[in-house]
């Protein structure tokens, strides 16, 4: 008897709640909503996606899914067709004040720009490969400076499935990165012969130049003063001044990279009025 009463109460509550929801002016009935083809990662993480490529002979494989968004999974196979679309990239650059250039066709490969979402499921993958070896990209710095991107757009879907107007595109921004590339924290001192010693304690970005070299800010002298850090086979580091950094820079003491802690230990100096400017800093991966 108690179980019967409990079931009747629950049923009544459900009917009451359904009735209230339907009477509510904010109630939305999704029963008649159609199916939409979209790129779910664009919806969750944003249309622009940054992909780091290691310097290696083998291509870097990358994939993303297309999705059929609908109240229920499709009852028939849905063929989703995509394209690499310059107009999409141009529109994105204009809307976001970016200046990405279309990735040359020699630097990527797409197994297929057609995906089939099987009946009863929602997702199907698109597979790409990106080339970043020195045979294809002899100058990673020039590659990164070019700001390449691959704009992928859903152009159509079968069986009356619409294409999402908001999440039907994906802009894959590509950068080549060696193993030392990344965001670091620099801690140390800058000793000036007349002004005294000041602390260095700041974030630095180390950007790929080639397979063994990264570029970053020289001491704490601003973005115009740069240096290249080349990691030698024995993990010693060769520092080369760039930009407005003093060309007569001299290394002394310990200059090394520690692969266990991902830290550069640097000691360098340059001559100036009143004596040498001496810099000691440890740059550690964050």
């Amino acid at each position: 008897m108690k179980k019967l009463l409990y079931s009747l109460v629950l049923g009544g509550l459900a009917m009451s709640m359904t009735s209230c929801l339907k009477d509510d002016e904010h109630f939305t009935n999704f029963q008649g909503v159609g199916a939409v083809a979209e790129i779910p990662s664009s919806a969750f993480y944003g249309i622009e996606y940054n992909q780091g490529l290691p310097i290696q002979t083998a291509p870097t494989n990358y994939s993303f899914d297309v999705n059929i968004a609908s109240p229920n999974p499709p009852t028939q196979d849905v063929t989703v067709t995509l394209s690499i679309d310059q107009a999409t990239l141009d529109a994105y650059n204009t809307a976001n004040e970016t200046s990405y250039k279309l990735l040359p066709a020699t630097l990527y490969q797409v197994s297929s720009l057609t995906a089939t979402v099987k009946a009863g499921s929602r997702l199907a993958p698109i597979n790409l490969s990106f080339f970043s070896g020195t045979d294809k990209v002899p100058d990673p710095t020039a590659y990164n400076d070019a700001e390449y991107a691959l704009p992928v757009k859903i152009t159509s879907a079968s069986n009356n499935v619409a294409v999402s107007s908001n999440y039907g595109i994906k802009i894959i921004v590509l950068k080549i990165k060696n193993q030392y590339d990344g965001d670091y924290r620099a801690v140390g001192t800058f000793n000036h012969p007349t002004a005294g010693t000041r602390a260095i304690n700041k974030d630095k970005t180390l950007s790929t130049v080639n397979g063994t070299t990264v570029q970053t800010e020289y001491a704490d002298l601003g973005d115009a003063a740069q240096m290249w850090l080349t990691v030698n086979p024995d993990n010693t580091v060769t520092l080369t001044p760039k930009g407005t950094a003093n060309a007569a820079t001299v290394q002394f003491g310990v200059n090394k990279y520690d692969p266990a802690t991902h830290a550069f230990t640097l000691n360098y100096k340059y001559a100036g009025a009143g004596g040498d400017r001496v810099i000691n800093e440890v740059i550690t991966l964050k």
Side-chain angles (χ1 to χ4, degrees):
M1 184 67 183
K2 286 184 178 179
K3 287 184 178 180
L4 176 61
L5 180 61
Y6 182 67
S7 298
L8 288 171
V9 170
L10 283 180
L13 280 173
M15 291 178 65
S16 174
M17 289 176 67
T18 303
S19 176
C20 289
L21 283 172
K22 287 183 177 179
D23 290 340
D24 193 307
E25 62 177 322
H26 301 296
F27 170 74
T28 302
N29 185 346
F30 288 100
Q31 292 300 315
V33 174
V36 177
E38 64 177 7
I39 300 173
S41 56
S42 292
F44 286 113
Y45 305 113
I47 290 170
E48 182 177 319
Y49 176 81
N50 293 285
Q51 173 70 29
L53 305 175
I55 300 174
Q56 60 184 20
T57 303
T60 298
N61 297 321
Y62 172 76
S63 68
F64 64 90
D65 289 324
V66 294
N67 175 60
I68 305 302
S70 58
N72 299 299
T75 57
Q76 303 177 38
D77 290 0
V78 177
T79 300
V80 181
T81 303
L82 300 91
S83 67
I84 307 300
D85 190 63
Q86 176 72 63
T88 293
L89 186 60
D90 293 341
Y92 185 84
N93 281 334
T94 299
N96 295 275
E97 298 183 346
T98 51
S99 55
Y100 297 128
K101 298 178 181 63
L102 183 66
L103 182 70
T106 56
L107 297 180
Y108 70 92
Q109 188 174 60
V110 184
S111 58
S112 176
L113 282 171
T114 300
T116 300
V117 178
K118 294 294 185 180
S121 63
R122 294 188 182 278
L123 299 173
I126 293 292
N127 300 306
L128 306 99
S129 297
F130 299 112
F131 302 105
S132 56
T134 54
D135 58 326
K136 299 278 189 179
V137 185
D139 187 349
T141 301
Y143 178 103
N144 287 346
D145 288 346
E147 294 191 301
Y148 287 128
L150 192 70
V152 188
K153 175 185 180 181
I154 298 177
T155 56
S156 66
S158 66
N159 294 325
N160 296 316
V161 173
V163 175
S164 172
S165 59
N166 294 323
Y167 305 118
I169 65 172
K170 189 176 188 68
I171 307 295
I172 307 170
V173 179
L174 298 139
K175 294 289 184 182
I176 292 179
K177 297 184 177 183
N178 63 28
Q179 61 180 305
Y180 313 109
D181 192 297
D183 295 324
Y184 288 71
R185 186 72 181 178
V187 176
T189 58
F190 188 117
N191 188 286
H192 192 282
T194 58
T197 300
R198 64 178 183 265
I200 297 174
N201 188 4
K202 64 182 307 180
D203 291 334
K204 291 189 177 185
T205 297
L206 276 60
S207 303
T208 296
V209 174
N210 56 43
T212 58
T213 303
V214 283
Q215 177 173 301
T216 191
E217 182 182 344
Y218 180 101
D220 59 353
L221 299 182
D223 292 339
Q226 295 284 307
M227 58 183 174
W228 285 8
L229 304 176
T230 299
V231 181
N232 302 310
D234 62 354
N235 286 323
T236 59
V237 173
T238 300
L239 186 157
T240 305
K242 295 289 180 178
T244 60
N246 194 295
T249 296
V250 175
Q251 294 182 222
F252 67 95
V254 175
N255 288 273
K256 67 176 183 179
Y257 173 75
D258 186 338
T261 60
H262 305 288
F264 288 83
T265 299
L266 305 174
N267 295 278
Y268 53 104
K269 61 185 178 181
Y270 63 95
D276 291 343
R277 282 73 169 153
V278 179
I279 302 101
N280 312 99
E281 60 178 327
V282 176
I283 307 175
T284 306
L285 185 67
K286 293 171 64 177

